[in-house]
Amino acid sequence: MDNIISALSNVLSLEESTPDFLPKEVILKGRTIYGFIGTQIGMCNANTKHWQIRVTTGPGGVILRNNSEVFGKTRKVKAFTIGLLTNANLTYKLNPNLGVSLGVQYMYSELLRIRTHYHGERVIVKLDGNNDTNLTRINFTTGLSYYF
């Protein structure tokens, strides 16, 4: 289960490699989908000519799906939990239509249970606070913003 949690570094990723401590035939390939959907409330400082600061936060649902192969057999893992997403962006407007942005997102969530389907068997794993089973994530972004 630790391999699944550690594979959550990307929202959508293809996992083609096998950890060093496992034989190469153990994990052939896998795909992890990890997302957040929820509402946000925020503030925006737009009083200055060039600088814009936006801060948002809000609760939502965190979804985990992992489809992989272990020893050539399909394994599916699903989980859903509640999380909190906080976002902060700083934009410097070069002109009225174009800006340069920096941002940070922090999402916190704890998994309470995971559903697995492997070898035709369905298992629900209930987790407690002693396990490192959170889907906490931090993203740093930069880019250009275009304003219509």
Side-chain angles (χ1 to χ4, degrees):
M1 200 57 67
D2 292 330
N3 294 331
I4 295 166
I5 303 303
S6 66
L8 295 176
S9 61
N10 295 317
V11 172
L12 178 63
S13 65
L14 288 176
E15 183 183 309
E16 295 293 338
S17 63
T18 301
D20 293 337
F21 60 87
L22 294 174
K24 290 294 180 195
E25 65 273 5
V26 174
I27 298 175
L28 300 177
K29 60 183 174 180
R31 176 174 288 182
T32 300
I33 298 172
Y34 171 59
F36 178 91
I37 186 167
T39 59
Q40 296 277 292
I41 187 168
M43 296 176 11
C44 179
N45 172 16
N47 290 338
T48 66
K49 181 178 179 180
H50 292 286
W51 293 100
Q52 186 178 61
I53 300 169
R54 292 182 307 260
V55 178
T56 62
T57 190
V62 180
I63 302 163
L64 166 69
R65 299 277 189 266
N66 176 266
N67 297 326
S68 58
E69 288 185 9
V70 178
F71 291 111
K73 300 202 184 241
T74 302
R75 176 185 64 186
K76 295 182 181 181
V77 177
K78 297 178 183 178
F80 178 83
T81 190
I82 303 298
L84 179 70
L85 178 66
T86 301
N87 183 29
N89 289 312
L90 175 66
T91 302
Y92 180 77
K93 293 178 85 175
L94 301 169
N95 61 45
N97 293 31
L98 190 63
V100 178
S101 299
L102 295 171
V104 62
Q105 284 183 333
Y106 178 76
M107 188 192 72
Y108 176 81
S109 66
E110 290 280 335
L111 283 177
L112 301 175
R113 67 179 180 195
I114 297 175
R115 284 175 255 152
T116 65
H117 184 258
Y118 183 58
H119 286 288
E121 183 179 347
R122 295 177 193 266
V123 176
I124 295 177
V125 179
K126 293 187 179 183
L127 306 166
D128 58 21
N130 295 330
N131 295 324
D132 185 21
T133 53
N134 66 58
L135 298 177
T136 299
R137 175 185 179 111
I138 190 164
N139 297 326
F140 297 96
T141 59
T142 185
L144 293 174
S145 301
Y146 183 78
Y147 299 92
F148 295 94

